[in-house]
């Protein structure tokens, strides 16, 4: 079955002024759609066409650069849209407790995550993951790689991700990546990050 572009859970202008309407529209309908189209072309009539995106990424060293780049692109953007929200929120429950236990405070996590996002050279992503020990960890990856991939420097289940490719912010922020990163912290859907945290702790995180 072919992969499909997921609908955004909000309108293109819903994240203004933090993420602008035109960037969101181009990012979703052109960039993400492009990854889906190229991923489908790369796996058509191969055994990969029957696998979940997580299964494909977990064994990515066996597959082509087209599958790595476009499969990563599809997974990463699907996660990204799901953890954004126009309503302001805060981490709650087990996730809030784990953040306090491991980082000291939400502000301390923000600082660490923002540093990872700001210092990722060129194009890539910053992540908050649940690692093999069940602990939260901040990391980043180049291009459309992610921590699910068997080739990743740091592996784990991503529960929060930030796209730091220039296409994600250049129209509104030009070269000011740090401003885009701090804007992101106003529109995180912490309820969804919390859901992903619970699923990751049980070891059954799948895209949804
Ligand atoms: Mn992108």
């Amino acid at each position: 079955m072919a992969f499909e572009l997921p609908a955004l859970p909000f309108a293109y202008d819903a994240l203004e002024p933090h993420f602008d309407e035109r960037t969101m529209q181009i990012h979703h309908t052109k960039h993400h759609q492009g990854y889906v189209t190229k991923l489908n072309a790369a796996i058509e009539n191969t055994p990969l066409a029957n696998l979940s995106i997580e299964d494909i990424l977990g064994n990515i060293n066996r597959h082509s650069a087209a599958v790595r780049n476009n499969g990563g692109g599809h997974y990463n953007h699907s996660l990204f849209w799901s953890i954004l929200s126009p309503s302001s929120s805060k981490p709650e429950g087990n996730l809030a407790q784990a953040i306090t236990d491991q980082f000291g405070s939400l502000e301390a996590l923000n600082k660490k995550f923002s540093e990872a996002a700001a210092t990722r050279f060129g194009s890539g992503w910053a992540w908050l993951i649940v690692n093999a020990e069940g602990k939260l960890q901040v990391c980043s990856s180049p291009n459309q790689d992610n921590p699910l991939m068997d080739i990743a420097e740091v592996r784990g289940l991503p529960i929060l991700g930030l796209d730091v490719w220039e296409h994600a912010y250049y129209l509104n922020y030009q070269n000011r990546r740090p401003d885009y990163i701090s804007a992101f912290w106003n529109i995180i859907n912490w309820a969804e990050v919390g859901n992903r945290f619970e699923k990751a702790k049980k070891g059954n995180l799948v895209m949804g």
Side-chain angles (χ1 to χ4, degrees), residues 66-80:
V67 173
R68 176 175 171 176
N69 293 335
N70 296 296
H74 175 46
Y75 178 89
N76 296 348
H77 288 84
S78 300
L79 184 151
F80 189 40

Side-chain angles (χ1 to χ4, degrees), residues 27 35 77 125 144 163 165 167:
H27 203 172
Y35 297 121
H77 288 84
W125 291 74
Q144 295 296 354
D163 188 344
W165 284 56
H167 70 226

Side-chain angles (χ1 to χ4, degrees), residues 91-172:
E92 288 179 12
N94 293 335
L95 174 62
Q97 191 61 52
I99 290 171
T100 306
D101 290 349
Q102 288 187 241
F103 299 99
S105 66
L106 182 62
E107 292 66 34
L109 167 62
N110 179 331
K111 188 161 182 285
K112 193 160 190 161
F113 184 95
S114 298
E115 274 170 15
T119 57
R120 165 51 57 187
F121 183 76
S123 298
W125 291 74
W127 304 103
L128 178 64
I129 65 169
V130 176
N131 66 21
E133 288 78 48
K135 299 288 188 194
L136 292 172
Q137 187 173 348
V138 169
C139 62
S140 72
S141 58
N143 305 313
Q144 295 296 354
D145 287 357
N146 67 47
L148 289 181
M149 293 181 173
D150 54 0
I151 46 90
E153 199 177 316
V154 179
R155 295 196 67 190
L157 301 174
I159 64 170
L160 177 69
L162 176 61
D163 188 344
V164 296
W165 284 56
E166 282 190 343
H167 70 226
Y169 61 87
Y170 204 84
L171 288 179
N172 200 29

